[in-house]
Amino acid sequence: MTSHLLTAIVFLPLVGAVACAAVPSARASRALALGVSGVVLALAVWLVAGFEPGAGMQFVERARWIPQIGAEYHLGVDGVSLPMLALSALLTVLAVVASWNVAERPKTYFALLMLLEVGMNGVFVALDFVLFYVFWELVLVPMYFLIAWWGGPRRQYASIKFFLYTLFGSVFMLVGIIALYLHPAGGTLDITALAGRGFPVQFQMWAFAAFFLGFAVKVPVFPLHTWLPDAHVEAPTAASVLLAGILLKMGTYGFIRVTLPILPEASRAWAPAVAALAAVSIVYGAALAFAQKDLKKLVAYSSVSHMGFVMLGIAAGTSEGIAGAVAVMFSHGVVTGMLFLLVGMVYERTHTRMIEDVSGLSVQTPVAGGLLALASFASLGLPGLSGFVGEFLSLLGAWKSDLVPAAWVVVSAVGVLLAAAYMLSVVQRVVLGEPSKAVAGIGDLTLREVGVLVPLVALTVVVGVWWDSLLRYVSPVASELAKLVVGS
Amino acid sequence: MTELAVLIPEALVLVAALAALFAERLPGGDRTAARLGAGLAGAAAVCVALIGVRDPIANGTLAYDAVARDARLAVAALSALYLLWLSGSALDRVREMAAFALFSALGGMLMASARDLMVLFIALELGTMPAYVMMGYEREDARTLEGSLKYYLLSMTTSLVMLYGFSLIFGLTGTTRIAEAGSLAPAGLLGAFAAVFALTGLFAKLSAAPFHFWTPDAYAGAPASAVAFVSTVPKVAGAAALFRLAQALEVGEVVSLFLGAAALASMLLGNFGAYPQRDIRRLMAYSGIAHSGYVLLALGAGSPSAIAYAVIYAIPSMAVMLLAAEEGAAVEDWSGLVQRRPAAAWALVVLLLSLVGVPPMAGFFGKLSVFGAALHAGRTALVVVAVLMSVVSAGYYFRLIRPAFFAEGAPEVAEDRAGATWASTVVFVAATALTLLLPLLFGALESLPRIGA
């Protein structure tokens, strides 16, 4: 049964997508979406339970696909993809529940969410480049429609910008993939088999540049980030959660899965530049977040900043750095998911996202206020919550690494300070104080809404307190990769 | 005698074309003619697949190799789809459109297997002549006449230039066999001229730059139902013929340089030209120029993926034009399509994304194969332009998706629009299914070239 577990996790939502569109009523459609994503989550939990940390690629499936181009149907999970896959399965369920009362074209909406899950799950388990690329691009279409149809006032602009930016990046990745395949040292599309092939350094540099464009747009790394605030602000809440929680991680996952093992010399050579961009992303994202008046935009820019820590850890190439990068990816998915959900819930009640219009949540709606405060603390990296683990490790890893100039680590550390500043200011202005006009009279979170947030709160606390719950999966892979890149 | 059995598909198409000419004598008239044509063309496609790869016939002037088989199969199958759509359309004089489409398909099938310059020329003219009439179908419309006249004049001129090139090749080598003519041509300046002239005619048929400028005007004047055929099926045959010719005429670097430059110009002019268009026929005309650029990119790399790409382009492109024939050819006409015909609107998304080259649609695998071939041939710069242009193309294809899905205050359904017939439903379902599922079947298609081989 477990021999096709990954196939089930990836393609069950596809069946769900068709079924969601085909059933006669909206009610049936959302029940189906919840059922299917719930089953996928259960399968993912089963996968985690059966996973053996440190034992390399597991649950591998291989089958003939397109022999003419050497493409195979090749799936597998290791300690890096496992947490991301589980997160994707969890966030999809929460996204379905959070969208429970979507009124416009609900059948199409849930079908698109299901289709999105196919792509998200697929990216993290695909071990063949063509398959990887198929899943990578597959997420674009449902996300485009989710933003363009259910989004805010500027949704047309935001959705097409998202689509074109990402497509721009990924076509270069495609060139990189073909180049690896055509190179005499390559000759295969098997991602794992290409690791450590020893491509010539000059070739690696160019291939890295191609992959970098593809991945960096998705992360996004400064200066390729400008699609992100637009997309986030216009996207409906569930789409924002998945965009920040999973889609951004696809970019950094790409660096870890592809460039580090396959192009280690180039990763080393480009590390100072990547670290510089990471540091700029951290500080620039944080500064812009500080300046925002719109709560959702603030969270969006904070994502740019947090993803900078992931890039810093990856640039470091040390085992702490890489493990820290994955930990930030996981934690940011959980915490930012929480923040976007809360902002959405507050918006539904107050019809404003302006920070100046919302205050005193803790008085009027203690549950919402308390959870928003908790999420803010997790986001700014308070020890004991998940945000701290990854940022600490990536800074430590970058500090220990010879590849990252110390100055960039110092700059990045300033980013932590800035994060504390803008998140605390949110807590102070939005959560504390007297209820503002918009807040007065609104009701607290419903049971359904609390139910959506509880799993995320639990994960934040568990990972923050018991680091090993996450790191036991990640660390073995991180040290393997570090051996390839920095040799220790 | 038995060797002529490979011509059964062509014979079937010819019978269908002749039957369509005498449609008035058939019970059911025009509709029967189109249905008969669809059936016989479909049967021809099946026969091509069953016959498979055979030895050349007719003294070696007609080849039946894998290239010929794939191109003939695609031409016959696409024609069958087109005629099926015609059989349900509200067009006047369907029999004429059916007859001309079938004659053009016959020319295309012969063109794909031609191994002799004279046979190629005759097949090419047989494929093109009916297209002039199809493009000038609305005889009273001045724009139609202008467009088709431009098409006719340019097409004739380039045909004659091509014939001049053929005569030079014959003069230099003393033979009209494509394979021998190519290998015998000296690499001198005259040989180069001969080769370039010879290619010119086919460039015009593919609407590749620099012989592209007739396309937007001609398409915008013609009925969308005619454009659907003329802009797709002859291109598949043209790609096959061009592949054969370019393979043989490898005269030093000149041919390859010419193909590369034309590919670059087509990609740039086509994609940027498509951007400001408000008429779907014009937009698809420019997009066709751009896609011819990708075909030329593969041809310049000497890869048969050019033919696979032309087929993968033709399927969605024909379906989009047929939708324009049903819904109207202005971008605004598609407003609110998703409310009127949700299935057609989602099919449109699949078709257009395939043209962009987004996986898992067939277009992606076409581009993968073309880019692979071109990178293998060392044309990195051209590939970089090509991938950037495919991002640009997403911009204008989305301009078609936008009104269909997100039109603000979509207009009420116009009363005079004909509802979708079962024939058109079958055609759209088939085109969408092919576009989506072709990649799953690629494993079974031996003709799809290996990347880098």
Side-chain angles (χ1 to χ4, degrees):
Chain A
M1 184 58 212
T2 55
S3 63
H4 293 296
L5 192 54
L6 291 180
T7 300
I9 288 177
V10 174
F11 287 105
L12 201 58
L14 186 62
V15 180
V18 176
C20 278
V23 292
S25 80
R27 198 176 278 272
S29 179
R30 71 181 183 192
L32 202 64
L34 181 65
V36 170
S37 57
V39 170
V40 172
L41 178 61
L43 292 177
V45 170
W46 189 13
L47 183 79
V48 173
F51 187 87
E52 205 176 311
M57 272 307 160
Q58 294 168 48
F59 299 95
V60 174
E61 294 178 36
R62 281 190 103 131
R64 221 176 91 102
W65 183 29
I66 312 176
Q68 286 89 343
I69 51 173
E72 281 188 313
Y73 179 76
H74 187 186
L75 307 178
V77 279
D78 67 358
V80 170
S81 39
L82 183 77
M84 300 320 299
L85 183 64
L87 186 63
S88 161
L90 174 67
L91 287 183
T92 308
V93 176
L94 301 184
V96 170
V97 180
S99 325
W100 204 243
N101 295 324
V102 64
E104 264 182 279
R105 291 175 289 270
K107 288 197 292 182
T108 316
Y109 182 91
F110 288 112
L112 288 171
L113 270 187
M114 291 289 97
L115 190 61
L116 187 60
E117 188 177 17
V118 179
M120 297 190 305
N121 291 353
V123 161
F124 295 121
V125 297
L127 294 178
D128 178 276
F129 261 125
V130 173
L131 198 59
F132 177 79
Y133 192 82
V134 168
F135 289 128
W136 178 276
E137 297 278 76
L138 187 61
V139 301
L140 291 187
V141 181
M143 188 49 93
Y144 166 80
F145 278 102
L146 283 172
I147 299 174
W149 227 341
W150 288 272
R154 288 171 69 242
R155 54 182 180 241
Q156 291 303 331
Y157 169 76
S159 56
I160 195 71
K161 190 171 177 184
F162 159 77
F163 193 98
L164 292 183
Y165 260 67
T166 323
L167 188 65
F168 167 81
S170 47
V171 292
F172 283 99
M173 171 165 84
L174 183 63
V175 174
I177 290 173
I178 302 174
L180 286 181
Y181 178 67
L182 290 177
H183 196 277
T188 173
L189 290 164
D190 182 338
I191 298 179
T192 42
L194 282 168
R197 281 285 177 97
F199 289 103
V201 176
Q202 193 62 30
F203 172 79
Q204 282 197 27
M205 298 297 279
W206 283 106
F208 185 94
F211 280 106
F212 180 84
L213 271 177
F215 298 146
V217 170
K218 204 97 171 181
V219 172
V221 176
F222 174 89
L224 302 168
H225 66 281
T226 58
W227 63 268
L228 178 104
D230 288 313
H232 265 314
V233 170
E234 303 306 326
T237 299
S240 278
V241 170
L242 293 175
L243 188 57
I246 305 299
L247 265 60
L248 306 191
K249 276 70 192 177
M250 285 164 50
T252 46
Y253 174 79
F255 281 109
I256 295 173
R257 170 69 62 229
V258 176
T259 52
L260 285 182
I262 298 178
L263 309 165
E265 276 87 11
S267 297
R268 217 162 36 227
W270 284 100
V274 174
L277 286 176
V280 173
S281 297
I282 291 171
V283 174
Y284 182 75
L288 281 176
F290 207 12
Q292 295 309 316
K293 296 191 171 73
D294 181 330
L295 213 48
K296 207 170 181 186
K297 233 174 180 164
L298 183 145
V299 181
Y301 277 110
S302 83
S303 291
V304 176
S305 181
H306 288 296
M307 294 310 283
F309 283 103
V310 183
M311 292 309 299
L312 186 72
I314 291 170
T318 52
S319 62
E320 290 91 349
I322 297 167
V326 180
V328 177
M329 282 159 67
F330 186 81
S331 161
H332 179 257
V334 172
V335 174
T336 308
M338 231 152 89
L339 284 170
F340 274 124
L341 285 167
L342 279 160
V343 170
M345 291 165 186
V346 170
Y347 177 76
E348 277 176 23
R349 291 168 169 75
T350 61
H351 305 289
T352 177
R353 289 192 305 252
M354 291 299 143
I355 296 173
E356 55 184 15
D357 294 340
V358 183
S359 71
L361 285 181
S362 64
V363 179
Q364 181 69 32
T365 56
V367 180
L371 288 174
L372 185 56
L374 181 86
S376 305
F377 291 141
S379 176
L380 66 83
L382 192 74
L385 296 173
S386 64
F388 176 70
V389 185
E391 290 184 9
F392 173 75
L393 282 176
S394 25
L395 282 172
L396 180 71
W399 187 256
K400 282 168 89 173
S401 169
D402 301 330
L403 303 176
V404 178
W408 296 124
V409 186
V410 176
V411 171
S412 305
V414 173
V416 182
L417 221 60
L418 283 171
Y422 64 77
M423 285 312 330
L424 285 176
S425 113
V426 168
V427 172
Q428 188 205 1
R429 289 193 278 171
V430 173
V431 179
L432 304 178
E434 286 303 306
S436 61
K437 209 167 88 208
V439 173
I442 64 167
D444 210 337
L445 301 186
T446 64
L447 207 60
R448 174 178 64 86
E449 290 170 325
V450 175
V452 174
L453 294 167
V454 162
L456 299 175
V457 173
L459 274 178
T460 311
V461 175
V462 168
V463 173
V465 175
W466 181 30
W467 294 19
D468 202 41
S469 62
L470 177 62
L471 293 181
R472 60 203 281 244
Y473 299 108
V474 181
S475 294
V477 186
S479 16
E480 285 288 312
L481 283 172
K483 244 178 245 158
L484 271 173
V485 180
V486 294
S488 66
Chain B
M1 195 55 211
T2 51
E3 70 163 9
L4 288 179
V6 295
L7 286 173
I8 288 173
E10 278 82 355
L12 288 172
V13 173
L14 181 62
V15 167
L18 293 173
L21 282 183
F22 298 101
E24 277 166 17
R25 297 271 161 231
L26 295 174
D30 287 12
R31 191 152 298 207
T32 310
R35 279 191 195 146
L36 184 69
L40 287 176
V46 173
C47 286
V48 171
L50 290 178
I51 289 168
V53 174
R54 294 293 167 99
D55 289 332
I57 63 159
N59 220 358
T61 54
L62 289 169
Y64 289 93
D65 50 7
V67 167
R69 182 198 56 193
D70 293 352
R72 288 160 77 224
L73 177 63
V75 167
L78 280 166
S79 306
L81 278 183
Y82 178 71
L83 285 157
L84 184 61
W85 182 86
L86 268 187
S87 76
S89 83
L91 207 70
D92 288 335
R93 296 176 283 134
V94 164
R95 60 179 178 281
E96 290 176 22
M97 201 65 116
F100 288 124
L102 284 162
F103 277 121
S104 178
L106 179 61
M109 289 168 79
L110 288 170
M111 213 162 122
S113 42
R115 282 180 76 211
D116 183 278
L117 291 175
M118 294 321 293
V119 175
L120 174 62
F121 186 76
I122 292 166
L124 187 70
E125 292 307 304
L126 178 59
T128 320
M129 294 276 185
Y132 304 143
V133 188
M134 291 172 80
M135 297 299 274
Y137 200 69
E138 278 159 13
R139 289 173 295 191
E140 270 80 54
D141 187 339
R143 277 190 8 143
T144 301
L145 292 181
E146 183 201 324
S148 59
L149 185 66
K150 272 188 192 163
Y151 177 38
Y152 173 72
L153 289 178
L154 187 101
S155 193
M156 270 316 194
T157 314
T158 50
S159 285
L160 293 176
V161 172
M162 181 170 74
L163 202 55
Y164 184 43
F166 286 176
S167 72
L168 286 178
I169 293 174
F170 178 66
L172 284 168
T173 64
T175 176
T176 56
R177 289 297 153 77
I178 289 176
E180 293 165 40
S183 56
L184 287 175
L189 192 60
L190 192 58
F193 267 114
V196 169
F197 285 168
L199 293 175
T200 298
L202 286 164
F203 271 43
K205 307 300 178 254
L206 278 176
S207 69
F211 304 103
H212 65 282
F213 44 83
W214 60 273
T215 340
D217 288 341
Y219 287 9
S225 47
V227 178
F229 184 87
V230 174
S231 67
T232 52
V233 175
K235 270 189 192 165
V236 175
L242 200 49
F243 174 71
R244 229 179 267 286
L245 205 54
Q247 285 281 308
L249 293 178
E250 197 58 56
V251 187
E253 284 292 293
V254 176
V255 170
S256 135
L257 191 71
F258 186 58
L259 287 170
L264 180 68
S266 302
M267 290 189 293
L268 291 174
L269 292 169
N271 280 310
F272 285 118
Y275 232 89
Q277 303 307 329
R278 307 287 314 161
D279 183 307
I280 293 167
R281 290 166 300 187
R282 287 191 91 87
L283 191 148
M284 293 306 286
Y286 279 106
S287 121
I289 296 168
H291 284 284
S292 292
Y294 299 118
V295 170
L296 292 181
L297 185 62
L299 285 172
S303 164
S305 55
I307 295 140
Y309 190 86
V311 177
I312 287 168
Y313 155 78
I315 298 167
S317 186
M318 176 188 270
V320 169
M321 281 317 300
L322 289 178
L323 193 62
E326 288 178 7
E327 292 290 330
V331 174
E332 295 79 23
D333 290 341
W334 289 14
S335 296
L337 186 66
V338 71
Q339 275 98 30
R340 289 200 301 276
R341 298 172 65 183
W346 286 106
L348 180 69
V349 172
V350 170
L351 299 169
L352 290 176
L353 287 176
S354 180
L355 289 172
V356 176
V358 172
M361 272 61 91
F364 163 70
F365 294 90
K367 287 206 167 148
L368 183 67
S369 150
V370 167
F371 296 164
L375 273 182
H376 188 67
R379 296 171 171 249
T380 315
L382 273 180
V383 171
V384 170
V385 174
V387 299
L388 281 176
M389 285 304 113
S390 65
V391 179
V392 170
S393 77
Y396 60 79
Y397 289 127
F398 267 92
R399 295 196 31 227
L400 299 184
I401 292 180
R402 242 189 223 190
F405 280 83
F406 311 115
E408 302 291 339
E412 289 301 304
V413 184
E415 289 305 317
D416 57 342
R417 268 181 204 154
T421 59
W422 69 266
S424 100
T425 309
V426 170
V427 170
F428 285 120
V429 167
T432 313
L434 276 176
T435 307
L436 263 180
L437 300 180
L438 214 52
L440 293 179
L441 307 174
F442 271 179
L445 284 182
E446 39 183 313
S447 63
L448 188 86
R450 300 187 79 89
I451 290 183

